[in-house]
Amino acid sequence: MSYKREECGVFGIWNTGNPAEKIYFGLHSLQHRGQESAGMTTTDRSSLKHFAGMGTVSKVFRKSSMNIIPKLSEETFGGIGHVRYSTAGASMRDNAQPMVAAYSQGEVAVAHNGNITNADILREEYESTGSIFKTTSDTEILIHMLAKPAHINKTDTIAHVMRHLDGAFCVLYLFPDRIEAARDPRGIRPLSIGKSQDGAWCVASESCAFDAIGGKLVRDVEPGEIVTLSDDGLSSRFFIEPGSVKPSHCIFEHVYFSRQNSRVFGENVHIARKNFGAQLAIEHPADADVVIPIPDSGTASAIGYANQSGIPFDMGFVRSHYIGRSFIAPTQEMRDLAVRLKLAVIKEAVEGKRVIVVDDSIVRGTTTRGKVRDLRAAGAKEVHIRVSCPPLKFPCFYGVDFASKEELVANRMDMDALCRYLEADSIGYLSVDGLLSCVNLPPENYCTACWTGNYKAPTHRARSKDAMGSSHKMLFQIEDVR
Amino acid sequence: MSYKREECGVFGIWNTGNPAEKIYFGLHSLQHRGQESAGMTTTDRSSLKHFAGMGTVSKVFRKSSMNIIPKLSEETFGGIGHVRYSTAGASMRDNAQPMVAAYSQGEVAVAHNGNITNADILREEYESTGSIFKTTSDTEILIHMLAKPAHINKTDTIAHVMRHLDGAFCVLYLFPDRIEAARDPRGIRPLSIGKSQDGAWCVASESCAFDAIGGKLVRDVEPGEIVTLSDDGLSSRFFIEPGSVKPSHCIFEHVYFSRQNSRVFGENVHIARKNFGAQLAIEHPADADVVIPIPDSGTASAIGYANQSGIPFDMGFVRSHYIGRSFIAPTQEMRDLAVRLKLAVIKEAVEGKRVIVVDDSIVRGTTTRGKVRDLRAAGAKEVHIRVSCPPLKFPCFYGVDFASKEELVANRMDMDALCRYLEADSIGYLSVDGLLSCVNLPPENYCTACWTGNYKAPTHRARSKDAMGSSHKMLFQIEDVR
Amino acid sequence: MSYKREECGVFGIWNTGNPAEKIYFGLHSLQHRGQESAGMTTTDRSSLKHFAGMGTVSKVFRKSSMNIIPKLSEETFGGIGHVRYSTAGASMRDNAQPMVAAYSQGEVAVAHNGNITNADILREEYESTGSIFKTTSDTEILIHMLAKPAHINKTDTIAHVMRHLDGAFCVLYLFPDRIEAARDPRGIRPLSIGKSQDGAWCVASESCAFDAIGGKLVRDVEPGEIVTLSDDGLSSRFFIEPGSVKPSHCIFEHVYFSRQNSRVFGENVHIARKNFGAQLAIEHPADADVVIPIPDSGTASAIGYANQSGIPFDMGFVRSHYIGRSFIAPTQEMRDLAVRLKLAVIKEAVEGKRVIVVDDSIVRGTTTRGKVRDLRAAGAKEVHIRVSCPPLKFPCFYGVDFASKEELVANRMDMDALCRYLEADSIGYLSVDGLLSCVNLPPENYCTACWTGNYKAPTHRARSKDAMGSSHKMLFQIEDVR
Amino acid sequence: MSYKREECGVFGIWNTGNPAEKIYFGLHSLQHRGQESAGMTTTDRSSLKHFAGMGTVSKVFRKSSMNIIPKLSEETFGGIGHVRYSTAGASMRDNAQPMVAAYSQGEVAVAHNGNITNADILREEYESTGSIFKTTSDTEILIHMLAKPAHINKTDTIAHVMRHLDGAFCVLYLFPDRIEAARDPRGIRPLSIGKSQDGAWCVASESCAFDAIGGKLVRDVEPGEIVTLSDDGLSSRFFIEPGSVKPSHCIFEHVYFSRQNSRVFGENVHIARKNFGAQLAIEHPADADVVIPIPDSGTASAIGYANQSGIPFDMGFVRSHYIGRSFIAPTQEMRDLAVRLKLAVIKEAVEGKRVIVVDDSIVRGTTTRGKVRDLRAAGAKEVHIRVSCPPLKFPCFYGVDFASKEELVANRMDMDALCRYLEADSIGYLSVDGLLSCVNLPPENYCTACWTGNYKAPTHRARSKDAMGSSHKMLFQIEDVR
């Protein structure tokens, strides 16, 4: 898959030794949810300590190795962390999270995963009453709302704030004396509760973060629930009537985003993907000699496909582990080669064979076509593309940064044309119903908008990627150079 | 002098080619006003571009040499810049200025020099109505006040905001279509208007910034005045009745802060210092063989003293030009040597002589005593200390970061004791009246609070350095590591 | 596998456009052969350009992105490159290759892969006649030998030099007007000849480097052969009588070192590994529910094992792609967790199952035991370890940096004890004969010394890892800090 | 003065605690002798530790602040250091000194100040017998000569090596068990012996280095002398018959290079410069109102001139302390301004006055003319240039990197034309005889070749700056990027 990664990952822990190390490991395991910035905030029960920067978790915190992590752990016992993939315009250092601020009640830090679809409306409303915004991120509104005097007077400020929000959101507030973690009423993005080896309560975007610190998943934060992690342990309340809103889990978390060892929406990602592959084999069989994945995201589905079809599984591509930001090649020829560095064909695995290639999705199609060409150049007799999800046709307003609608190749041509465009011998996509039959919850509990256009949560269209560039409030801020 | 440098420097220019380069040069010439962070914001008439970082101007902008400066100049034609010396708590990257934000009227950037003495009061007031603060800097309140709906409705928002402020302040607001520059009613800190070689209007903390871009000083911004730099040229208005408040210029700008080639409060700094030295020779003569300065800040006064007294002037110390942040020496012996690296005695210039040493001020006394010892070790027969300002006894609430009252050696002992403490043969300080007789304006037009305790502008004592640590709103934010 | 990576990778190309980019891509594809330093030298036919540094290829050359690579390409048309894994003592910037020097015939650069077993003897001999050494690397002797007047007078200096060397070596000399590439008489390490898309001759440690630049493998450099790449094309000669020495290819290149898409010693690495896995299933069957690899190096063998045994293949571990140099965790608990970040168990893939885990080798055993424990914690009912090569028992003197003999767990206990130590239900290693039956060449054409102790090339035992620390010539040079 | 700085500075110390810190301070005080690279090597009596890099002393060693300096001091007790100004071609990291190598007798490090005029001849001779050179620096030959078997057999190898060298050289060899320090037979460059506070013997290019570590100058190393610093204390021998060669001290050390607080060739630099100024006032009086220096190098001479003439001394320029490597201004207008940032005119000090400006020398004349124009723009009525040395007309072959002969303005025009070119009202240079009358030693003991063309030491003209570019042995090595 060539599109941009989505969203963000959040992690919080309370009442543990060395909190900064645990947050570090938790964030590291969530790194696939965002590589653009990383940060964490810890508390010593009276004030906050903070560090954030551009880049991956290990890049941001490595710099000062012996220093920053121990300093953030010193005299502290809990905190929150964040990894981020920028979804808006230029990447900016000031948008790195957690975001820390002081307000009338003291200090607070916020880490947020998702997309608040009425953020622009709220922002305009707050600006009109005098608020100033120092970043372009949705997250800043979460602090403004918390600080509003009318909200402070409410019995439950956080619940009140949450009820104003539309869209997909998992919010972690860190106060000096507690963490409050809330999940949107539809539970679009995952958020789970865990326990560390030393018995500390944790929250995380995915359960793999609990594994990473030697802990365990306890349960999911329910849609519409707020959980408080404090010295009194874990307590829970709901900001909407439980069950009053139908859940709408993003099934793309299973298809692509979440990590294979995570348990999201009640089941394991790897198993779900194998099921997708098996179902794909039923829906779109092919007469072939070998099934190969586009590693690593297509591997589980390819195994499922191979098991179901009885066609042998093999690795046809080698993935490089050393791809970093490389230099910008001045010629097109060189840029084409640079793409090939990431996945190299194993000629001997495909030569003279009829090959089924399993990928998790197709966005623009150019990357896929490049792989088809590589396979043919290596001597593959036939190339059959199998995709473990339905065709992507609609933008996501809940936190995923696909290409624009016009760029999505499935909007531009029908299956026959696409097959020819990709220079494949056949192509098969998993059906929506087939996909939904592979997971545990009832079909109506999932969001499938990117395939069907059926948006269940309000979208306030202004937040679409296409519209964002025009906002007069977008500061162009040159990225901090290191 | 060993105390911390004060304040900040600001620079703005409108309607010029390559604005970022001119701001760079302007800031560079103001570098003595703050080395902790540097930044600039430019405008293309519809949106702002911004870059800031920790360190000196050349360090911050060098990194990306061929890149950042040209990018900030591209399609822009004006902007503002800032150099900063942190006066509050830990130094923080987020406190670097200009500070940029979006509010209901669009984007704005602010650069500020001075100390708003009622900032804490205002901050509390704004927090109580829901404002959030992301930095610990006074400057943020300047944007909040601008954004307040009640203020936006005023005929002249900026004037209205300025009238709410107490203390010392020179504020530059950059909007996409203009710069607004305001100076406090007492004119405590300097702020001047100039013109560049290509006829562009400029504002700067000191006139040396106009020299640096090949331009010229035109006049000072008057106390209580707001000037607008826009495509319509320069226009002026007052936010208080002109003349309704007596000026109170910080005479320490002449003694120490301002650069020798600047013209502040209507006269040249170098000439003022020579006058101080001459007056010092009248008030505190000494029978000696040579007059030497503590370079570079004591040089002008030493020349003035030598001319007046007829005793030959010479250089007795060599200043190193290569002092940067050096390693932290693990032993006391090594730390003592490190101090000596900066100023080395020329033995042959002082050996066997009765030496008058002219310095601009004494804070804790330890540095001065070290110099006396160095001179004796080099063979000086007598060492007479002459200080070109009165004894420092009171904290400054208008932007200068002296040591605390307890640390000021002049509070801890009388002249005899001080002379013995410094191991000098005699000591003489310039008198307040003597000092005031050396400058052009009437004595009552200057602030002399650090010597006399006579504070003319409201101080709201809470803002004293001593009190600041206790504020519960001070975030401890670990400095950005590079 | 937890032991240190071996060796180095070399790449050379002649008569092409943008040589530096092609060398960059070639080195990138050889990155698995050494991540400690990277460098390249190009020629404009009259003089050499050079750049090298510590770190991976993309780290070293990224820094100056738009700069270094184009500069190295400017007016040049060929060159050589090197990636390196330090095998001796502290890693040192000065040991980065290619090594460049001037001698009586002009300039020369050398890139070397392997281990010259008589290097110490030669070094001592040259020192005794006045040579000085500025590095601790074997490579420096290769230039001294070239520069020796007695050698320059020989008809074929390079051939003469090669005849003096013992051990494993692939040497690339770059002169302003040609590349000379030589391989040791036993062909211990691989070295191949290829052609780029634009018809330029290339040499590389592995054929994957030709794929990376869109080129093709032509043939291997023969043991004892020297090939010259010049404006006259490719020419060949032998420095020993062809066939006079029996080849002794390092079969560990197939087991672990070489990349899956490379063709070394005449056959593809991925296919060889699948064969190893199949043979392993024959030699050591197990009654189990699933076969999982330690990714990525065990994946091919696990597929081979699964195919042969009929037991389903699955992924039981997820590998993190974001492992970099992380901070040093201060507690043992945290260090244990850090190891787990790299490979996380997919609980649902192994829970309640009898699991066969295929790995490529076992060195100290601690990592393997950690994996067994992780699988049991995830609920695996049985864990059967299968290793796709024989037990490692002897040090390598030909360029591989294993642990010391004492550390190799297979020397410390028999199979039963090892099985208990690893906490496994059973353990099975591939036999030497079984392994050799899986590859194309006659068994006697391979080096199996690390399993059998049968060293075919002179070892001059002094060069063993154990002995090296004692040399009085080892400079301790603190690594260049970045 | 605008020409490039010369040479290098060396420092060595034996038998002290924290040797690395003392070397750091010593080098720091010698920083004016070279800012391009810095390095040091220490010894624990059996092996050497080394660290070097590009940039100033504080930049190179700051990076790792708490790390490198303590590591270099750990278990060591002596060592040598070097600061360097590149005189040859591109600046290269590998040319940073000390240079460390292993040879038949063990390890050795060399730090060198000066210019060996027969280096090319020696280099060619050594290359013809098989030596290889990894740098373009003269210094490498000093190790090759040491390592030559024929030399090792001599009773006194170092003395033997020294007798082969022509030109100006001060060489420090560090062996694990001692330092050997030698100075050329003419004593062209300074080299002194000192003692630290804790009684350790030191050698340094200038005595200011002893002051910097709290020590004292003992005496100069004599021309043709070798001193050994070892556990037996200090011992001395001569490699030529003492007195057999007339000294030829570079008087430019007094005029410009050496630091004002140093004592070179038996007298203090500051005093010598004041004498030059006084003599200049006798030779070239002027009817004027004020004498101002070009700071800092012209300050002492200007004081001397003012004292002698009775015309008041003042500062007319302010020097910026924040000049670093700034960005490269894209326009000429901006580049002109950049030059002005370093020295700003104090308008009020010169306005309406007849001004005498004292500078230490004039190379191309453009900088001087710029200053004259600045003074006129500031309102000076007359500008009289006085130069405290004779006109520079000849290249230096002994270590100083002047402009080429053609660029030296004094070769291109007579005094009248020069005065017009500089746009001055008058110009006066100190005479050679006048200059020599100001210093203690007999006139024939100084080298005045840059003014008179009278070269006393062999120059082997090939070593002139003009010829150096043509050597086929100059590697183009791209500088290490940081």
Side-chain angles (χ1 to χ4, degrees), chain B residues 333-334, chain D residues 13-19 22 77 195-202 213-215:
Chain B
E333 179 202 352
M334 285 296 141
Chain D
I13 189 165
W14 196 261
N15 234 342
T16 190
N18 286 325
K22 284 168 191 147
F77 62 100
K195 251 193 169 171
S196 75
Q197 255 178 333
D198 64 350
W201 287 106
C202 319
I213 61 163

PDB file of all heavy atoms in Angstrom, chain B residues 333-334, chain D residues 13-19 22 77 195-202 213-215:
ATOM      1  N   GLU B 333      39.072  23.760  40.618  1.00  0.00           N
ATOM      2  CA  GLU B 333      40.288  24.344  40.049  1.00  0.00           C
ATOM      3  C   GLU B 333      40.078  24.635  38.568  1.00  0.00           C
ATOM      4  O   GLU B 333      40.426  25.689  38.054  1.00  0.00           O
ATOM      5  CB  GLU B 333      41.450  23.341  40.235  1.00  0.00           C
ATOM      6  CG  GLU B 333      42.777  23.801  39.667  1.00  0.00           C
ATOM      7  CD  GLU B 333      43.704  22.616  39.397  1.00  0.00           C
ATOM      8  OE1 GLU B 333      43.351  21.479  39.803  1.00  0.00           O
ATOM      9  OE2 GLU B 333      44.760  22.820  38.776  1.00  0.00           O
ATOM     10  N   MET B 334      39.457  23.668  37.881  1.00  0.00           N
ATOM     11  CA  MET B 334      39.262  23.816  36.448  1.00  0.00           C
ATOM     12  C   MET B 334      38.201  24.876  36.143  1.00  0.00           C
ATOM     13  O   MET B 334      38.300  25.614  35.188  1.00  0.00           O
ATOM     14  CB  MET B 334      38.846  22.463  35.841  1.00  0.00           C
ATOM     15  CG  MET B 334      40.012  21.485  35.727  1.00  0.00           C
ATOM     16  SD  MET B 334      41.289  22.094  34.562  1.00  0.00           S
ATOM     17  CE  MET B 334      42.791  21.603  35.428  1.00  0.00           C
TER      18      MET B 334
ATOM     19  N   ILE D  13      51.719  18.491  27.603  1.00  0.00           N
ATOM     20  CA  ILE D  13      51.917  18.514  29.053  1.00  0.00           C
ATOM     21  C   ILE D  13      52.187  17.099  29.521  1.00  0.00           C
ATOM     22  O   ILE D  13      51.687  16.130  28.930  1.00  0.00           O
ATOM     23  CB  ILE D  13      50.675  19.124  29.766  1.00  0.00           C
ATOM     24  CG1 ILE D  13      50.954  19.356  31.255  1.00  0.00           C
ATOM     25  CG2 ILE D  13      49.437  18.252  29.574  1.00  0.00           C
ATOM     26  CD1 ILE D  13      49.948  20.269  31.935  1.00  0.00           C
ATOM     27  N   TRP D  14      52.992  16.954  30.547  1.00  0.00           N
ATOM     28  CA  TRP D  14      53.407  15.637  31.040  1.00  0.00           C
ATOM     29  C   TRP D  14      53.311  15.544  32.558  1.00  0.00           C
ATOM     30  O   TRP D  14      53.760  16.455  33.242  1.00  0.00           O
ATOM     31  CB  TRP D  14      54.852  15.344  30.616  1.00  0.00           C
ATOM     32  CG  TRP D  14      55.190  13.892  30.748  1.00  0.00           C
ATOM     33  CD1 TRP D  14      55.860  13.286  31.765  1.00  0.00           C
ATOM     34  CD2 TRP D  14      54.833  12.864  29.831  1.00  0.00           C
ATOM     35  NE1 TRP D  14      55.936  11.944  31.537  1.00  0.00           N
ATOM     36  CE2 TRP D  14      55.316  11.641  30.359  1.00  0.00           C
ATOM     37  CE3 TRP D  14      54.141  12.850  28.616  1.00  0.00           C
ATOM     38  CZ2 TRP D  14      55.143  10.428  29.701  1.00  0.00           C
ATOM     39  CZ3 TRP D  14      53.966  11.644  27.966  1.00  0.00           C
ATOM     40  CH2 TRP D  14      54.468  10.451  28.516  1.00  0.00           C
ATOM     41  N   ASN D  15      52.690  14.457  33.029  1.00  0.00           N
ATOM     42  CA  ASN D  15      52.679  14.172  34.468  1.00  0.00           C
ATOM     43  C   ASN D  15      51.776  15.097  35.267  1.00  0.00           C
ATOM     44  O   ASN D  15      52.186  15.744  36.226  1.00  0.00           O
ATOM     45  CB  ASN D  15      54.103  14.257  35.031  1.00  0.00           C
ATOM     46  CG  ASN D  15      54.435  12.958  35.750  1.00  0.00           C
ATOM     47  OD1 ASN D  15      53.532  12.193  36.088  1.00  0.00           O
ATOM     48  ND2 ASN D  15      55.700  12.716  35.952  1.00  0.00           N
ATOM     49  N   THR D  16      50.536  15.136  34.874  1.00  0.00           N
ATOM     50  CA  THR D  16      49.587  16.022  35.545  1.00  0.00           C
ATOM     51  C   THR D  16      48.257  15.295  35.716  1.00  0.00           C
ATOM     52  O   THR D  16      48.000  14.302  35.045  1.00  0.00           O
ATOM     53  CB  THR D  16      49.391  17.316  34.724  1.00  0.00           C
ATOM     54  OG1 THR D  16      48.656  18.242  35.522  1.00  0.00           O
ATOM     55  CG2 THR D  16      48.622  17.061  33.437  1.00  0.00           C
ATOM     56  N   GLY D  17      47.419  15.786  36.611  1.00  0.00           N
ATOM     57  CA  GLY D  17      46.065  15.251  36.728  1.00  0.00           C
ATOM     58  C   GLY D  17      45.173  15.886  35.669  1.00  0.00           C
ATOM     59  O   GLY D  17      45.445  16.995  35.216  1.00  0.00           O
ATOM     60  N   ASN D  18      44.131  15.179  35.246  1.00  0.00           N
ATOM     61  CA  ASN D  18      43.215  15.730  34.246  1.00  0.00           C
ATOM     62  C   ASN D  18      43.914  16.335  33.045  1.00  0.00           C
ATOM     63  O   ASN D  18      43.682  17.489  32.680  1.00  0.00           O
ATOM     64  CB  ASN D  18      42.336  16.824  34.870  1.00  0.00           C
ATOM     65  CG  ASN D  18      41.270  16.254  35.760  1.00  0.00           C
ATOM     66  OD1 ASN D  18      40.741  15.178  35.479  1.00  0.00           O
ATOM     67  ND2 ASN D  18      40.955  16.960  36.830  1.00  0.00           N
ATOM     68  N   PRO D  19      44.805  15.577  32.398  1.00  0.00           N
ATOM     69  CA  PRO D  19      45.563  16.201  31.303  1.00  0.00           C
ATOM     70  C   PRO D  19      44.671  16.752  30.198  1.00  0.00           C
ATOM     71  O   PRO D  19      44.965  17.797  29.621  1.00  0.00           O
ATOM     72  CB  PRO D  19      46.439  15.061  30.779  1.00  0.00           C
ATOM     73  CG  PRO D  19      45.789  13.805  31.258  1.00  0.00           C
ATOM     74  CD  PRO D  19      45.132  14.156  32.552  1.00  0.00           C
ATOM     75  N   LYS D  22      43.545  20.271  30.829  1.00  0.00           N
ATOM     76  CA  LYS D  22      44.605  21.271  30.688  1.00  0.00           C
ATOM     77  C   LYS D  22      44.945  21.482  29.222  1.00  0.00           C
ATOM     78  O   LYS D  22      45.181  22.604  28.788  1.00  0.00           O
ATOM     79  CB  LYS D  22      45.808  20.867  31.518  1.00  0.00           C
ATOM     80  CG  LYS D  22      45.497  21.150  32.995  1.00  0.00           C
ATOM     81  CD  LYS D  22      46.463  20.550  33.949  1.00  0.00           C
ATOM     82  CE  LYS D  22      45.879  20.682  35.361  1.00  0.00           C
ATOM     83  NZ  LYS D  22      46.280  19.546  36.203  1.00  0.00           N
ATOM     84  N   PHE D  77      47.876  10.770  31.881  1.00  0.00           N
ATOM     85  CA  PHE D  77      48.592  11.735  32.716  1.00  0.00           C
ATOM     86  C   PHE D  77      49.361  12.734  31.866  1.00  0.00           C
ATOM     87  O   PHE D  77      50.093  13.574  32.385  1.00  0.00           O
ATOM     88  CB  PHE D  77      49.554  10.986  33.636  1.00  0.00           C
ATOM     89  CG  PHE D  77      50.552  10.266  32.842  1.00  0.00           C
ATOM     90  CD1 PHE D  77      51.808  10.805  32.669  1.00  0.00           C
ATOM     91  CD2 PHE D  77      50.224   9.088  32.195  1.00  0.00           C
ATOM     92  CE1 PHE D  77      52.723  10.164  31.871  1.00  0.00           C
ATOM     93  CE2 PHE D  77      51.137   8.459  31.402  1.00  0.00           C
ATOM     94  CZ  PHE D  77      52.386   8.991  31.231  1.00  0.00           C
ATOM     95  N   LYS D 195      55.532  25.611  33.160  1.00  0.00           N
ATOM     96  CA  LYS D 195      55.202  24.688  34.236  1.00  0.00           C
ATOM     97  C   LYS D 195      53.795  24.973  34.717  1.00  0.00           C
ATOM     98  O   LYS D 195      53.418  26.125  34.899  1.00  0.00           O
ATOM     99  CB  LYS D 195      56.183  24.868  35.395  1.00  0.00           C
ATOM    100  CG  LYS D 195      57.134  23.702  35.521  1.00  0.00           C
ATOM    101  CD  LYS D 195      57.893  23.692  36.821  1.00  0.00           C
ATOM    102  CE  LYS D 195      58.613  22.338  36.946  1.00  0.00           C
ATOM    103  NZ  LYS D 195      59.537  22.316  38.073  1.00  0.00           N
ATOM    104  N   SER D 196      53.012  23.931  34.895  1.00  0.00           N
ATOM    105  CA  SER D 196      51.643  24.110  35.376  1.00  0.00           C
ATOM    106  C   SER D 196      51.641  24.346  36.874  1.00  0.00           C
ATOM    107  O   SER D 196      52.666  24.164  37.547  1.00  0.00           O
ATOM    108  CB  SER D 196      50.817  22.873  35.048  1.00  0.00           C
ATOM    109  OG  SER D 196      51.180  21.831  35.930  1.00  0.00           O
ATOM    110  N   GLN D 197      50.468  24.734  37.395  1.00  0.00           N
ATOM    111  CA  GLN D 197      50.310  24.953  38.832  1.00  0.00           C
ATOM    112  C   GLN D 197      50.744  23.734  39.644  1.00  0.00           C
ATOM    113  O   GLN D 197      51.314  23.865  40.724  1.00  0.00           O
ATOM    114  CB  GLN D 197      48.823  25.230  39.133  1.00  0.00           C
ATOM    115  CG  GLN D 197      48.533  26.678  39.421  1.00  0.00           C
ATOM    116  CD  GLN D 197      47.042  26.916  39.657  1.00  0.00           C
ATOM    117  OE1 GLN D 197      46.214  26.171  39.150  1.00  0.00           O
ATOM    118  NE2 GLN D 197      46.718  27.954  40.401  1.00  0.00           N
ATOM    119  N   ASP D 198      50.468  22.537  39.115  1.00  0.00           N
ATOM    120  CA  ASP D 198      50.836  21.330  39.862  1.00  0.00           C
ATOM    121  C   ASP D 198      52.205  20.805  39.468  1.00  0.00           C
ATOM    122  O   ASP D 198      52.527  19.642  39.690  1.00  0.00           O
ATOM    123  CB  ASP D 198      49.733  20.250  39.738  1.00  0.00           C
ATOM    124  CG  ASP D 198      49.543  19.738  38.316  1.00  0.00           C
ATOM    125  OD1 ASP D 198      50.121  20.326  37.370  1.00  0.00           O
ATOM    126  OD2 ASP D 198      48.821  18.741  38.140  1.00  0.00           O
ATOM    127  N   GLY D 199      53.025  21.682  38.849  1.00  0.00           N
ATOM    128  CA  GLY D 199      54.414  21.343  38.632  1.00  0.00           C
ATOM    129  C   GLY D 199      54.699  20.499  37.408  1.00  0.00           C
ATOM    130  O   GLY D 199      55.809  19.986  37.246  1.00  0.00           O
ATOM    131  N   ALA D 200      53.705  20.342  36.520  1.00  0.00           N
ATOM    132  CA  ALA D 200      53.936  19.529  35.326  1.00  0.00           C
ATOM    133  C   ALA D 200      54.624  20.357  34.249  1.00  0.00           C
ATOM    134  O   ALA D 200      54.301  21.518  34.033  1.00  0.00           O
ATOM    135  CB  ALA D 200      52.594  19.001  34.804  1.00  0.00           C
ATOM    136  N   TRP D 201      55.580  19.747  33.547  1.00  0.00           N
ATOM    137  CA  TRP D 201      56.234  20.423  32.430  1.00  0.00           C
ATOM    138  C   TRP D 201      55.283  20.520  31.242  1.00  0.00           C
ATOM    139  O   TRP D 201      54.545  19.578  30.950  1.00  0.00           O
ATOM    140  CB  TRP D 201      57.490  19.663  32.005  1.00  0.00           C
ATOM    141  CG  TRP D 201      58.627  19.818  32.986  1.00  0.00           C
ATOM    142  CD1 TRP D 201      59.055  18.871  33.854  1.00  0.00           C
ATOM    143  CD2 TRP D 201      59.435  20.969  33.178  1.00  0.00           C
ATOM    144  NE1 TRP D 201      60.114  19.360  34.604  1.00  0.00           N
ATOM    145  CE2 TRP D 201      60.364  20.654  34.206  1.00  0.00           C
ATOM    146  CE3 TRP D 201      59.488  22.250  32.604  1.00  0.00           C
ATOM    147  CZ2 TRP D 201      61.316  21.572  34.657  1.00  0.00           C
ATOM    148  CZ3 TRP D 201      60.440  23.154  33.051  1.00  0.00           C
ATOM    149  CH2 TRP D 201      61.344  22.815  34.076  1.00  0.00           C
ATOM    150  N   CYS D 202      55.337  21.676  30.564  1.00  0.00           N
ATOM    151  CA  CYS D 202      54.494  21.895  29.385  1.00  0.00           C
ATOM    152  C   CYS D 202      55.323  22.501  28.252  1.00  0.00           C
ATOM    153  O   CYS D 202      56.353  23.129  28.506  1.00  0.00           O
ATOM    154  CB  CYS D 202      53.390  22.922  29.666  1.00  0.00           C
ATOM    155  SG  CYS D 202      52.590  22.818  31.256  1.00  0.00           S
ATOM    156  N   ILE D 213      46.336  27.799  32.030  1.00  0.00           N
ATOM    157  CA  ILE D 213      46.175  26.686  32.969  1.00  0.00           C
ATOM    158  C   ILE D 213      46.715  27.056  34.343  1.00  0.00           C
ATOM    159  O   ILE D 213      46.977  26.190  35.177  1.00  0.00           O
ATOM    160  CB  ILE D 213      46.828  25.386  32.445  1.00  0.00           C
ATOM    161  CG1 ILE D 213      48.339  25.569  32.249  1.00  0.00           C
ATOM    162  CG2 ILE D 213      46.178  24.924  31.146  1.00  0.00           C
ATOM    163  CD1 ILE D 213      49.079  24.237  32.150  1.00  0.00           C
ATOM    164  N   GLY D 214      46.888  28.352  34.569  1.00  0.00           N
ATOM    165  CA  GLY D 214      47.351  28.796  35.876  1.00  0.00           C
ATOM    166  C   GLY D 214      48.842  28.538  36.093  1.00  0.00           C
ATOM    167  O   GLY D 214      49.314  28.525  37.219  1.00  0.00           O
ATOM    168  N   GLY D 215      49.573  28.332  35.014  1.00  0.00           N
ATOM    169  CA  GLY D 215      51.002  28.038  35.111  1.00  0.00           C
ATOM    170  C   GLY D 215      51.854  29.232  34.730  1.00  0.00           C
ATOM    171  O   GLY D 215      51.389  30.366  34.699  1.00  0.00           O
TER     172      GLY D 215
END
